Amino acid sequence: MTQGKLFVISGASGVGKGTVLKEVMKRRTDLRFSVSATTRPPRPSEADGREYYFVTRQRFEEMIGNGEFLEYDEHNSNYYGTPRAQAEEKMAKGPVLLDIEPMGAAQVRKSAPDAVLIFIMPPSMEELERRLRSRNDTPEDQIEMRLKRAVWEMEQRVWYDYVVVNAQLEPCVREVLDIIAKECGQTA
Ligand code: 5GP
């Protein structure tokens, strides 16, 4: 059976990853997004089953116990994980994109060494903080926690396959699309 390539995209909260990924998905319609499960409450703009499957801690821990995750991690006071069955089903059809942080990316690297790991960097720490605050959807204590974690996350970029800076949306989207085309054996 042919398997679609697995692309892992990581980047600190506020880097604009969501916007980049939406644009990438619009232009590469064969790419399927793996919808994670999380115990974090939904933001006003989010819908269950689209951005995430929003589940209780009890349900998430049941899923861990049943071995239902390809990878999972607890960060920012919540669990996040990739449901294995869903990811495998999508990979049977074509390339799949996972938006996960470095702890999860390390687990994917172990279980799927062929996965392509891409890290999105902000142009500066100041800009990251500005973007995170301007979203207006994250409480102040969460912002502090996310900025602290961002420093550690950015240090992890050294073991990723590619590092892309999101200074401006369009060049960043193009760079990610080029990487995907190249890794899928297509010329960009
Ligand atoms: P947010 O709460 O802002 O949606 O996501 C916070 C962080 O969790 C982001 O860095 C995102 O990449 C990461 N994340 C989302 N889904 C998963 C997942 O399934 N597994 C892991 N390990 N991280 C995830």
Side-chain angles (χ1 to χ4, degrees):
M1 192 179 70
T2 52
Q3 282 269 303
K5 258 213 176 293
L6 201 52
F7 290 92
V8 170
I9 308 246
S10 302
S13 200
V15 76
K17 203 175 22 152
T19 316
V20 171
L21 294 189
K22 270 198 191 118
E23 238 359 88
V24 167
M25 303 282 304
K26 249 198 242 163
R27 299 190 210 175
R28 260 217 79 136
T29 48
D30 62 330
L31 202 55
R32 287 175 177 82
F33 183 69
S34 157
V35 180
S36 297
T38 184
T39 57
R40 160 168 89 54
R43 295 178 185 140
S45 61
E46 292 176 333
D48 189 42
R50 190 178 63 199
E51 279 81 7
Y52 285 106
Y53 293 107
F54 296 99
V55 301
T56 61
R57 279 190 91 77
Q58 191 190 353
R59 174 73 192 118
F60 199 104
E61 284 168 358
E62 260 171 39
M63 290 171 79
I64 297 174
N66 294 340
E68 289 181 46
F69 289 112
L70 185 67
E71 62 73 37
Y72 72 92
D73 184 51
E74 189 175 11
H75 54 272
N76 302 335
S77 314
N78 282 295
Y79 281 123
Y80 294 80
T82 305
R84 184 191 300 279
Q86 183 219 179
E88 286 175 355
E89 208 175 287
K90 289 182 175 168
M91 278 168 69
K93 295 183 185 145
V96 172
L97 193 67
L98 305 187
D99 168 357
I100 64 176
E101 52 64 65
M103 293 296 284
Q107 293 173 51
V108 171
R109 167 126 293 168
K110 265 203 194 138
S111 59
D114 286 353
V116 178
L117 274 48
I118 305 172
F119 196 94
I120 313 254
M121 282 288 284
S124 67
M125 206 52 206
E126 291 71 31
E127 178 59 13
L128 183 75
E129 182 165 357
R130 194 194 65 71
R131 289 182 192 173
L132 192 52
R133 288 187 192 283
S134 70
R135 284 198 330 206
N136 269 333
D137 64 2
T138 309
E140 183 58 32
D141 58 331
Q142 279 279 328
I143 288 184
E144 295 299 324
M145 193 183 346
R146 281 167 183 252
L147 285 172
K148 275 202 195 117
R149 191 176 161 86
V151 174
W152 171 80
E153 284 196 13
M154 290 192 291
E155 285 166 7
Q156 309 309 307
R157 72 183 182 279
V158 293
W159 51 266
Y160 276 65
D161 299 307
Y162 298 94
V163 176
V164 178
V165 178
N166 183 21
Q168 282 184 316
L169 181 61
E170 184 57 27
C172 180
V173 168
R174 276 176 187 275
E175 208 173 325
V176 173
L177 284 168
D178 285 352
I179 292 168
I180 294 172
K182 184 177 131 202
E183 293 287 347
C184 288
Q186 300 143 345
T187 41

